Amino acid sequence: MVAEWCFGFVCLAPLNTNTPKFFGFSEFLTSLDLMVLAWTTADIRYRFRIQSAPIPLISITFFVVAAVGVLTLLTDLWRVEGWLVPRGILMTSALWQAILGGLFLMTFLTWAWFAFVRPPVFSKRNSIRFAEALYYFVLRGSPNELTVIADELILSVRSLIYFASDRGELKNYHSEYHSQSSRKPHIVEENANKLLLLIADKRFCRAIVKSSPNTMLAIFQEMSKTRKYGI
């Protein structure tokens, strides 16, 4: 077996099979089991927060976890076979494992951030995703889910009222909206209007009245503060 290959300024040497391992494929699978258990048993409140996050968190997580899994498997295979790697100190085996472990940890912490630490609220960055998530749960119509979502909506009341159109400013809202002279609402304004109209859904109204009257109280209080009585 050749100990080393050199091609110009690049030298390849076999990977030391005795290098310490602290994040390999077995550790990845163990961590993944715990993450999957946490994700699948999460309450509806936290699933709504993840779906309404300002970034496509589910898609990003899938690709990051898949990439880390493949790379950790290849790293273990490379170590066992003692295949050639570039010689140098820029990327050691320990540093490579730390990078893979760090990516995996950051994925979990990002989920925890949006699910527990800083729940997403309706804003310009996530207006479309927030609307899609709320529509999804309202269309499902589960009374238990709607109760939780109605309570969760309290966090976004201020921004919903702020971005919503006010008929006090747009005297004839519907006719102006369809006329050529009317201004076209911004996407965040349009989504805020749609979400406020969505509250009129009978099933959602029942959930608010029965289990989350604070949601409607928060809406009226914010209307009073902003003097936007025509939303």
Side-chain angles (χ1 to χ4, degrees):
M1 178 179 179
V2 179
E4 186 174 300
W5 286 86
C6 288
F7 303 93
F9 296 101
V10 179
C11 290
L12 303 177
L15 183 62
N16 187 0
T17 58
N18 296 321
T19 54
K21 184 183 76 168
F22 55 88
F23 186 78
F25 191 67
S26 58
E27 289 79 11
F28 167 80
L29 290 179
T30 302
S31 303
L32 184 61
D33 287 341
L34 296 176
M35 289 181 67
V36 170
L37 179 63
W39 294 339
T40 54
T41 59
D43 184 75
I44 187 65
R45 183 186 306 274
Y46 306 114
R47 280 188 277 165
F48 173 77
R49 291 176 178 179
I50 294 301
Q51 291 184 26
S52 60
I55 59 175
L57 197 53
I58 297 178
S59 300
I60 292 175
T61 300
F62 172 80
F63 288 112
V64 171
V65 170
V68 171
V70 171
L71 291 175
T72 52
L73 179 60
L74 290 176
T75 301
D76 283 355
L77 176 62
W78 225 276
R79 179 187 296 106
V80 172
E81 295 292 338
W83 288 343
L84 299 176
V85 295
R87 190 184 64 180
I89 60 174
L90 294 179
M91 181 63 70
T92 63
S93 177
L95 181 59
W96 176 248
Q97 293 179 73
I99 292 174
L100 294 179
L103 286 174
F104 194 79
L105 177 62
M106 284 301 299
T107 302
F108 174 77
L109 292 179
T110 303
W111 274 72
W113 175 262
F114 287 113
F116 303 104
V117 181
R118 189 62 64 87
V121 298
F122 182 84
S123 66
K124 291 182 179 180
R125 296 184 300 167
N126 72 333
S127 64
I128 297 178
R129 297 180 58 80
F130 195 97
E132 290 176 348
L134 189 59
Y135 267 103
Y136 170 77
F137 287 105
V138 171
L139 289 177
R140 280 169 60 94
S142 171
N144 294 332
E145 293 181 356
L146 291 180
T147 297
V148 176
I149 300 303
D151 183 67
E152 187 69 12
L153 196 62
I154 296 177
L155 300 175
S156 298
V157 165
R158 173 177 293 183
S159 57
L160 280 172
I161 302 301
Y162 174 80
F163 287 112
S165 303
D166 188 358
R167 289 180 183 173
E169 298 176 359
L170 302 177
K171 300 282 186 180
N172 194 2
Y173 178 79
H174 290 288
S175 62
E176 286 190 11
Y177 182 80
H178 291 289
S179 68
Q180 303 224 346
S181 60
S182 66
R183 67 176 179 85
K184 184 177 182 180
H186 191 274
I187 185 66
V188 64
E189 180 182 349
E190 189 174 350
N191 284 326
N193 296 336
K194 290 179 179 179
L195 291 180
L196 289 173
L197 289 173
L198 189 61
I199 296 177
D201 181 88
K202 292 182 179 180
R203 295 167 297 182
F204 202 29
C205 281
R206 292 192 187 102
I208 292 176
V209 172
K210 181 179 179 180
S211 304
S212 185
N214 288 336
T215 302
M216 198 56 64
L217 178 61
I219 292 176
F220 289 133
Q221 287 179 339
E222 196 61 32
M223 288 171 58
S224 178
K225 289 179 183 179
T226 58
R227 298 184 180 275
K228 295 179 70 173
Y229 303 108
I231 58 172

